[in-house]
Amino acid sequence: MESVPFLLAGRPARGADPLPVRHPYDAREVGRTSHADPEQVEAAVAAAAAVADRAAALPAHVRAAALDHVSRRLAERADEVARLVTAESGKPIRWARGEVARAVATFRWGAEEARRWSGEVQRLDTEPTGDGRIALVRRLPRGPVLGITPFNFPLNLVAHKVAPALAVGAPIVVKPAPATPLTALLLGELLAEVTEPDGPGTGLPAGMVSVLPLPNDRAAELVRDPRLPVVSFTGSGPVGAAIRRAVPEKHVTLELGGNAAAVVCADWASADDFDHAAHRIATFGNYQAGQSCIAVQRVFVHEWLLDGFLPRLVAAVAALRTGDPADEATDVGPLIDDAAARRVEEWVDEAVAAGATLALGGRREGTSYAPTVLTGVPAGCRVNTEEVFGPVLVVAPVPDDSAAFAAVNDSAYGLQAGIFTHDLRTAFTAYRTLRVGGVVVGDVPSYRADQMPYGGVKGSGVGREGVRSAMEDYTESRVMVLSGI
Ligand code: NAD
């Protein structure tokens, strides 16, 4: 099998150390690439640092045209890209198509923001010392960005690092997840198309983008490189915490995990309400086999609704089709690897041993874990307190809204919460009291629009992503005072 090249300063390159990529469903090799050699990493970082000033001065129309091109080419190759996402991540093909559509939009949105990105003029004559002066306030790149991404959205989370960087004119080095580098490298191929397409001085300068597969210890070294002053990390809590400790002087954004909750409030009580919430919670507790940072994990239901709601939820979960992720009908595919499936099994077994009831599921077969619903889980069990990152729903009754919101907040994490209510006051109470980055009213916590600010509090991270938020993150304001005017 031919080794897929990675992107080194806008050009294809290969390293000496092979990196085979296996299908999580049946372990067959679906492709291979290579880790970047140390000299290649050095070349990529040196090129990013060397090009930073030129990149920041690139005209908006050049940056927007590059972003539009990548968006268009992703759309043209959507089917191929979606199949690749499925092959290396095990994500069911229907969801992979959705991810590609989102990445198309993320780049298009980046192009639009690049055209809008301007700054402001502030008057200074509000004080006598400012007579005859104004200030021009613009946000300029802090410097080259290091983007580190996880396996579960191998395309769109790379897009969320790259599009804002191009939009503001910041060079970026991306380190994709070891299990899923091939999609990022396909994106790298499209980025090569916009790198000096008609020779030096056209398109993006070489050096603006690199996509480098690296083993974790070498990624940790790269984090410490002072020529990359911004680190944008999406991944697990422990790795995020280690990065923050390693480089306290850097501008670090951490998009980490969670144990997202959905609340079925007292007023969400009609048969239609039940069916809607059951369908949405079943779907988004199990999409990507629960391997999403905002997959529903904890479900709090008003106690007098529980008897009516639980059978509907169990039926909706039971109706999900599990199996080969390449099959168009599959809802739930495998976990990323054997260790992940065994960990989910261990945590569910632990809860059952502690007294929880299995309403559904609780079986592992290789890398696949059956969609599972648990009730009566003792508070301290890991399926409650940790991020399961598997197809497991934990359902618990609550006596009223405030108890439900307190239960949502009783977590080391705080990414998003979903509140099923028709009542505006309840919605605003949730918005005010929940310690999360986003409250979704009338739906699951798993809703994310790529242009909106997205991120968490507590153990779920620091900072916000979403194209516009990341553009702010990658830049800092610089003021020019004009006097005597
Ligand atoms: P992970 O933390 O194991 O790996 C993430 C990335 O970090 C990979 O590219 C990995 O190679 C790299 N890495 C590992 N050790 C490193 C080190 N010491 N220094 C630098 N880089 C290192 O996470 P994962 O298993 O790939 O992804 C799952 C996690 O990501 C879950 O916790 C999930 O909730 C989280 N996630 C968060 C968001 C969000 O936006 N908040 C989105 C998707 C996934």
Side-chain angles (χ1 to χ4, degrees):
M1 204 174 269
E2 204 196 341
S3 178
V4 176
F6 48 78
L7 190 72
L8 198 176
R11 300 286 170 236
R14 291 183 174 85
D17 180 23
L19 174 58
V21 180
R22 299 200 172 275
H23 200 309
Y25 187 61
D26 54 18
R28 90 190 119 93
E29 189 172 319
V30 293
R32 54 174 47 216
T33 179
S34 49
H35 290 124
D37 297 338
E39 315 78 69
Q40 292 172 314
V41 176
E42 171 54 33
V45 176
V51 85
D53 285 348
R54 258 179 70 209
L58 276 179
H61 69 88
V62 173
R63 286 178 274 132
L67 287 155
D68 273 333
H69 176 94
V70 174
S71 173
R72 211 169 36 246
R73 294 283 288 138
L74 269 178
E76 281 167 16
R77 296 178 65 175
D79 188 59
E80 173 195 356
V81 183
R83 287 179 194 287
L84 188 56
V85 168
T86 294
E88 65 175 358
S89 73
K91 179 176 303 201
I93 185 71
R94 280 192 296 123
W95 293 105
R97 290 191 208 295
E99 181 176 350
V100 177
R102 284 180 60 185
V104 168
T106 301
F107 277 99
R108 192 183 58 233
W109 194 259
E112 291 176 17
E113 289 288 4
R115 292 187 182 98
R116 269 195 282 271
W117 188 242
S118 41
E120 62 172 327
V121 172
Q122 259 185 15
R123 61 186 316 146
L124 299 175
D125 60 359
T126 50
E127 300 296 327
T129 51
D131 284 358
R133 300 182 203 264
I134 57 164
L136 175 67
V137 188
R138 294 185 64 197
R139 294 189 69 86
L140 301 179
R142 298 174 193 272
V145 176
L146 171 60
I148 301 180
T149 54
F151 72 82
N152 63 335
F153 285 87
L155 177 65
N156 198 36
L157 290 178
V158 178
H160 267 292
K161 309 293 181 204
V162 174
L166 300 193
V168 299
I172 179 162
V173 176
V174 177
K175 207 299 283 172
T180 58
L182 300 176
T183 314
L185 299 182
L186 195 153
L187 182 62
E189 205 182 306
L190 307 185
L191 290 159
E193 293 175 0
V194 289
T195 302
E196 300 187 333
D198 301 309
T202 66
L204 302 180
M208 182 114 180
V209 189
S210 293
V211 183
L212 306 176
L214 288 176
N216 291 343
D217 55 339
R218 300 214 7 247
E221 276 170 32
L222 191 55
V223 164
R224 289 192 290 271
D225 193 306
R227 292 168 293 179
L228 302 169
V230 180
V231 179
S232 177
F233 173 81
T234 304
S236 63
V239 177
I243 289 176
R244 209 164 178 208
R245 276 197 307 274
V247 286
E249 74 286 4
K250 290 198 180 193
H251 187 84
V252 176
T253 301
L254 301 176
E255 299 289 341
L256 310 176
N259 55 0
V263 178
V264 179
C265 293
D267 66 299
W268 199 269
S270 73
D272 281 353
D273 286 347
F274 275 11
D275 283 341
H276 177 68
H279 172 71
R280 298 294 287 173
I281 292 171
T283 302
F284 286 93
N286 293 286
Y287 82 128
Q288 308 183 172
Q291 298 168 113
S292 161
C293 47
I294 39 174
V296 189
Q297 178 174 329
R298 300 176 300 146
V299 183
F300 299 108
V301 185
H302 272 255
E303 55 198 9
W304 62 274
L305 300 179
L306 191 65
D307 285 348
F309 180 71
L310 186 62
R312 283 179 159 90
L313 177 64
V314 170
V317 176
L320 296 171
R321 291 201 220 179
T322 57
D324 184 344
D327 186 335
E328 298 284 346
T330 295
D331 297 305
V332 185
L335 284 102
I336 189 68
D337 56 27
D338 206 59
R342 285 182 191 279
R343 182 185 49 74
V344 174
E345 179 178 44
E346 185 189 327
W347 290 12
V348 171
D349 289 353
E350 171 191 275
V352 172
T357 302
L358 259 182
L360 189 74
R363 284 182 325 278
R364 183 180 66 81
E365 208 175 299
T367 51
S368 294
Y369 197 79
T372 294
V373 180
L374 287 166
T375 59
V377 176
C381 290
R382 285 181 284 183
V383 290
N384 260 333
T385 57
E386 300 289 318
E387 175 181 51
V388 173
F389 226 54
V392 178
L393 289 168
V394 175
V395 184
V398 279
D400 53 38
D401 287 347
S402 61
F405 298 158
V408 172
N409 281 340
D410 184 16
S411 167
Y413 302 100
L415 206 44
Q416 296 208 130
I419 309 299
F420 288 93
T421 182
H422 301 288
D423 186 313
L424 210 50
R425 269 175 313 182
T426 305
F428 273 98
T429 305
Y431 181 64
R432 214 174 39 245
T433 55
L434 293 179
R435 301 219 29 232
V436 291
V439 176
V440 182
V441 176
D443 208 344
V444 285
S446 327
Y447 175 78
R448 178 179 182 186
D450 294 290
Q451 69 271 34
M452 75 183 194
Y454 177 78
V457 300
K458 301 192 273 183
S460 291
V462 180
R464 294 291 176 269
E465 224 168 41
V467 178
R468 176 78 192 196
S469 300
M471 288 167 72
E472 284 164 11
D473 206 46
Y474 292 174
T475 54
E476 56 200 349
S477 66
R478 192 178 297 170
V479 174
M480 181 164 74
V481 176
L482 295 171
S483 310
I485 54 169

